[in-house]
Every structure is written in C-alpha cells, then in structure tokens.
Amino acid sequence: MASTRIRTLLALSLAFTLPLLRAQDTPAPAPQAPPPAAPPTSQQPTQNPDGTYTMRVSTRIVVLDVVATDKKGNIVTGLSKEDFHVTEDSDPQTITNFELGAARVPAPTVDIESTADLDRLAPRAPVNIILLDEFNTRFEDMAFAQYSLKKYLEKQPDHLTTPTMLIAVGIDKFDVLRDYTQDKQQLLDVLKHHFGGNPWRSTSNSWAPERYGTAFLTLRRVSEATVGHQGHKNMIWIGRGFPALNMANVPVDSSNRIETLRQQCVNELRDARVTLTTIDPAGLLIDPGVYGADAKFNDPFGGNYQFAQLAKATGGRTIYGRNDVDVQIGAAADEGTNFYTLVYHPTNNSRDAFKFRKINIAVDRPGVTLTSLQGYYLQLRPRPVDPKAPTRRLLSDIAAASDSKMAYDGADIKVTRLAKPDNGYSISVAARNLAWTLGTPEDPTRKTELVLAITTFDRKGKILKEKASDMRFKAPASSPATGRIEVPLSFLYTLDPDPKAVRVRFVVRIGSSGRIGTQDIDLTEPIAANAPSMAVPAPAPAPPAQ
C-alpha cells in the first residue's frame, strides 16, 4: 500500500505555477555551515554601495564525530586536539576545530519538547533518535525490545540530559511516537500505549523487497527530516534492520541496486550528521534460522552484512548476541553525548564525485579505539525537476514528508494562516535556504525554484487531498545579475475548503539543495485575532527552465 502510493503520488499533479515573488530587502540570518561534502565554489564579486567589492568563497569542510573507548569498551575522556591525527586518502589533514560533544548538551534550565524548541533553544545540541524496527523483527523480540527500552528509561532522571525522539516503523506505517523531549515520563507513557502488532511479513521471504525498501526509506526519511539541525544525531535502531538474505543467491543487478541504495543512505546520513547504531533485540539466538535459512550461515546479525556496514560506515556499531539490551541501549545513548568533534578542510580539491575519500583517525593514547566516519563521496546537486516525469526519488521524498508527523527542518519555512483571503496562507522561506540562478545578457532576471506540496487530513488522520506544484520565482528587478544575493521569499497560497479537514501539512522542497521543510496547521483552532491579510499582485510568470 505504502509503496504503491509512493510510485503514484504526485505523478500527475506536479505542474508549473508561476506566482510573482514578493521579496523584502531585510537582513538575512547568518548562513549555516556548508555540508561536509559540498564542492568548493566561488562567485563573482558583488559591488557594494560605496564602490568596493565583496567576494564570497565557500570551501568544503569535513565534520567528524569520534567516540573513543578503552579495551573494556568504556568511554575515554580527557583527550585534546593534539592527541588526534587525521588523514584523508593517506594525506595528513589539519584539524581546524575541536569540540567536546558534551559541551553542546542543553543547560539544565532549558526544556526541549519539540523539534522547534530544539532548533530555537539548542541548535547544536546532540540528540538521540530511538527507532523500533517492527517490520524485520519477530513479535516476541519486539516485545523484548519495548521491555528493554522501558527498563533503560526507568533508570534515567526525570529530566533527560539529551533530547530524545521515539519512532516506530512498520511496512505500512511510520509513527513518531514522541517528538524530541527531555521528559522521561512522556516517553514511558507513549511506550506503554504503543502496540506493535504481529508483523507476519517479517518472516516471509516474499516480502523481502518491501522490507528492504522500508529500511532504506526510513533511513533517508530520518536524515532528510533532521538535516537542518546542526548538532550530532545518535540514531539507535532497535531491530534486525534487513531481512536475512544471502547475497550470493541474488541476481547481480539486484545486488548492485542494493549496494547503490546503501551508499546513498550512507551519504545522506553523513550529510545529516547521523551516526547509526543497531541493536538486535533477539539476544543470544539458539536457532538463528527463525529469521530465515540464510541467517544460519551468515554473520550473527541476521545475515544482513549490508546493514552492519551501514552502521560502521556512519561511525556507529552493531550490537548482537546480547541479552542485556537495556544496558546496550544505555551504552549507545552515552556515546551520543560523549564524543569528540574534529573539523578539517580537505587538502584535495578534486571534484570527482565518484571517488571515495577514505578517512583514517589515529590517537596518541595506547589501547584506545576510535569509532567514526570511514570516508565520504562528494555531494551531488539534486537533479532539476521535470514536472511531466518526476523522478521516483522526488516522489518518495515528497510522499514521505507529506504523510508524516515528523517535523522536517532542512529548510527554514514559516506558514501563517491569514485573515484574508479566506483559506489563505502566507508561506515564507528564509533567504539562507535559497540559491538564485545567474542572469545572462539576454535575460538578466534571476530565478529560484521549489516544490510545494499540500496535504489535508481528517480527524482520524486519513489523507483527504494532496497536491504538489513545481514553482519558479523571480528575484527583485534591483538584484544584480551576478554575485550572491540574500533575498527571502514570501508568497500566497489559497487552500481548497474542505469541512472534513482538521489538519493541513505544508511541505517545501528547495530545488537547489533538495532540502525539505514542513509545517502543520491545526484547522480546528480559530484564526488569530491579529492574523494579517495578504494581497498579492497579478502573477508575472517566470519562463520554465530549459
């Protein structure tokens, strides 16, 4: 059901709409640091009012979150910048920034109760994302996973040090049981009332493709939703990950597709600064064959060496064959706070996107083991949107963001319900999220592009209507033809009235970066007494990109 919707959603509804940009020349917030794998860029100088010129140059940076442990697995503290040595493809790198992860933990007086709180009050704080895998895990192992998580939480203080999100995923569902919170009792309450069901498809080989797809989509979904938060995300995946499958028995084309998807997930997790740690709640299995015949002959983690590789590639670990799952959850959570952050600017300026840049980290401390990112590929720009034939990747990204309650903060957007016109909304995008095309002598007008998706829901959470548009906007006529411009975007959207609708979700995907921002509006709430009105002049179409 879910996969069918992803294949068909928006296929006919992506259409060009060409409203006029209402730009304001207000100062923009400071831009975020570029992602680790962004290629170096330079732009034409911009002339200032006093006649001087400003040249902006950005360079690639690599951010490494490193966990140090001793021979017994205990976390090692007290290391300094000088203790670490980093090479990229055997070339020594200079560590330009060094920081302790614990230094960014929210102060005891700060209370984080949502993604919005996190981005506003602690924009660089480390967080824990605990995910219950209910599509590759047997019912009895799922029950033990919940019991173990409850046991772990009960040992924690009432006010958690690290903001924590709880997610449960099945083949047909993606439930954010609780957005980021520091209230232990709230997590215990939602866990108490959560029933995972009996995932009979988790033991059926005929459902293996759907289970693989669900795992990959879940990883991408979390990374795309959280990429806007600059802090480290410690993702604790409690479950089997992938179905047991011996890749030697898989056609080479299918094996190559899985490997390609695996690498794409690693890239997205890396760009979102997510470390994946997997914990198998099955414990010490007497008969691994209960998870499929292949589980008997491959590695202990269900025969799923690709999922183990995902964790290792992002700097995490795979934990299996342990019955003290609650203790392992606690150890993984501690590693999400007690780490070292190293930053360097690569000496290799090559733009070869297909070359893997291998990273090696050494430390001047005998007996210490370091766990971190193994390397990276350069990040490629997203493909331009073709409204007549949108890619499956675009469809799945928009669909995943549209039917979820998970807040996406990759793009800084704000949606305001207006007093006039009826059912009118003002949608704003921060200047720092936008990139504008350069003008030419033939057409000096600069443009930017985004995809807007609107989804309405009834009282039971059922989707009533969904619609998406690929939108192009013109920059103000006063904008220079070249050079960087910091121009925010604000435009009007009128929602089709529906008496059954109680919630509407706005999804904005930035064309230049592929980043997504979302905002939900509760339609049962009255319009604010001081809600503004917005009048938009007649649209002046921007020509579609060739």
Side-chain angles (χ1 to χ4, degrees):
M1 179 176 67
S3 58
T4 301
R5 176 174 176 267
I6 289 174
R7 286 195 299 268
T8 58
L9 177 65
L10 314 175
L12 299 177
S13 62
L14 273 173
F16 283 108
T17 57
L18 307 168
L20 177 68
L21 166 67
R22 292 184 72 246
Q24 300 175 355
D25 294 326
T26 55
Q32 298 178 352
T41 59
S42 62
Q43 298 181 344
Q44 297 295 323
T46 302
Q47 187 172 13
N48 301 317
D50 61 0
T52 62
Y53 286 83
T54 300
M55 170 72 84
R56 289 185 173 88
V57 178
S58 62
T59 183
R60 190 167 72 246
I61 66 171
V62 175
V63 179
L64 301 174
D65 294 317
V66 185
V67 174
T69 54
D70 61 19
K71 294 180 180 180
K72 295 182 179 181
N74 299 316
I75 293 176
V76 176
T77 59
L79 299 177
S80 65
K81 174 182 174 181
E82 289 69 27
D83 291 323
F84 292 92
H85 306 279
V86 179
T87 62
E88 182 178 304
D89 289 338
S90 301
D91 294 331
Q93 306 296 318
T94 300
I95 300 173
T96 57
N97 295 85
F98 177 84
E99 186 176 77
L100 300 179
R104 293 292 179 176
V105 169
T109 55
V110 174
D111 190 19
I112 305 297
E113 292 301 327
S114 67
T115 297
D117 285 349
L118 179 70
D119 291 339
R120 178 172 54 89
L121 301 175
R124 297 187 63 185
V127 298
N128 288 325
I129 302 172
I130 301 176
L131 187 143
L132 298 173
D133 171 359
E134 299 178 349
F135 57 92
N136 278 310
T137 312
R138 295 193 308 157
F139 176 76
E140 51 266 52
D141 294 333
M142 282 172 31
F144 185 63
Q146 291 194 36
Y147 164 78
S148 300
L149 179 56
K150 175 177 177 290
K151 189 176 179 181
Y152 158 72
L153 288 171
E154 287 175 340
K155 298 176 183 176
Q156 306 309 305
D158 291 337
H159 184 80
L160 299 175
T161 301
T162 306
T164 302
M165 179 188 295
L166 181 58
I167 302 172
V169 181
I171 288 182
D172 296 324
K173 66 176 183 179
F174 182 96
D175 291 339
V176 179
L177 302 180
R178 185 61 177 88
D179 196 2
Y180 290 118
T181 182
Q182 290 180 279
D183 188 337
K184 176 187 74 174
Q185 192 58 46
Q186 290 198 28
L187 292 172
L188 286 170
D189 288 344
V190 296
L191 191 62
K192 179 181 178 180
H193 294 93
H194 175 66
F195 181 69
N198 190 355
W200 58 271
R201 289 170 290 190
S202 67
T203 58
S204 172
N205 285 335
S206 62
W207 284 89
E210 283 78 8
R211 289 153 63 194
Y212 263 99
T214 301
F216 282 126
L217 180 60
T218 297
L219 291 169
R220 286 182 41 215
R221 199 172 197 170
V222 172
S223 61
E224 289 176 349
T226 62
V227 68
H229 178 62
Q230 298 179 43
H232 175 253
K233 298 103 185 173
N234 184 36
M235 187 175 180
I236 305 173
W237 182 296
I238 308 176
R240 303 287 287 184
F242 286 157
L245 186 66
N246 187 346
M247 298 303 292
N249 300 327
V250 175
V252 64
D253 288 344
S254 298
S255 178
N256 288 340
R257 289 192 200 100
I258 291 175
E259 176 58 26
T260 299
L261 287 171
R262 186 189 72 84
Q263 186 57 60
Q264 289 176 349
C265 277
V266 170
N267 288 347
E268 290 200 30
L269 291 167
R270 174 212 62 208
D271 293 340
R273 204 177 168 188
V274 175
T275 295
L276 173 66
T277 296
T278 59
I279 301 177
D280 182 6
L284 189 59
L285 281 173
I286 298 176
D287 179 16
V290 295
Y291 274 100
D294 290 323
K296 294 181 180 181
F297 306 108
N298 295 321
D299 73 59
F301 202 79
N304 307 313
Y305 70 90
Q306 298 90 359
F307 204 72
Q309 289 177 353
L310 278 170
K312 187 176 180 181
T314 62
R317 297 186 295 131
T318 56
I319 303 171
Y320 50 82
R322 297 287 298 261
N323 291 328
D324 57 342
V325 172
D326 60 311
V327 175
Q328 301 310 312
I329 294 173
D334 288 342
E335 291 176 1
T337 302
N338 296 293
F339 59 89
Y340 302 89
T341 298
L342 315 178
V343 179
Y344 71 89
H345 297 262
T347 56
N348 181 4
N349 292 322
S350 168
R351 299 193 182 189
D352 183 358
F354 300 99
K355 175 179 172 52
F356 182 74
R357 289 153 169 80
K358 185 177 181 180
I359 296 174
N360 183 67
I361 311 173
V363 62
D364 293 334
R365 183 77 66 89
V368 173
T369 299
L370 302 179
T371 306
S372 185
L373 183 71
Q374 293 181 323
Y376 66 96
Y377 290 89
L378 287 186
Q379 183 183 32
L380 296 175
R381 291 175 63 89
R383 295 170 57 182
V385 176
D386 182 354
K388 296 181 180 179
T391 64
R392 291 183 180 181
R393 169 68 180 273
L394 174 62
L395 296 181
S396 67
D397 288 350
I398 298 297
S402 296
D403 69 358
S404 172
K405 289 186 178 180
M406 190 169 188
Y408 283 60
D409 61 4
D412 185 3
I413 71 168
K414 181 180 180 181
V415 180
T416 304
R417 197 174 180 186
L418 302 175
K420 293 291 182 179
D422 293 339
N423 303 306
Y425 297 83
S426 170
I427 303 174
S428 301
V429 184
R432 67 174 181 270
N433 293 133
L434 300 172
W436 300 85
T437 60
L438 298 180
T440 64
E442 295 77 19
D443 181 12
T445 305
R446 303 179 68 168
K447 308 171 188 67
T448 194
E449 178 183 7
L450 56 84
V451 172
L452 172 67
I454 314 292
T455 308
T456 52
F457 301 84
D458 65 11
R459 293 186 180 277
K460 295 183 178 180
K462 181 181 178 181
I463 293 176
L464 296 173
K465 187 176 182 180
E466 45 197 359
K467 180 180 180 182
S469 300
D470 183 56
M471 312 179 78
R472 311 284 172 85
F473 298 89
K474 292 182 178 180
S478 58
S479 302
T482 60
R484 180 173 177 79
I485 55 174
E486 296 279 349
V487 181
L489 179 65
S490 182
F491 60 97
L492 171 69
Y493 181 86
T494 303
L495 183 70
D496 295 334
D498 187 338
K500 295 182 180 180
V502 300
R503 178 171 70 95
V504 57
R505 164 160 277 216
F506 292 82
V507 178
V508 175
R509 177 185 180 274
I510 308 299
S512 58
S513 65
R515 289 195 171 194
I516 297 174
T518 62
Q519 185 169 335
D520 293 278
I521 300 294
D522 186 351
L523 299 178
T524 63
E525 295 288 336
I527 299 175
N530 59 347
S533 298
M534 184 175 182
V536 175
Q546 299 297 322

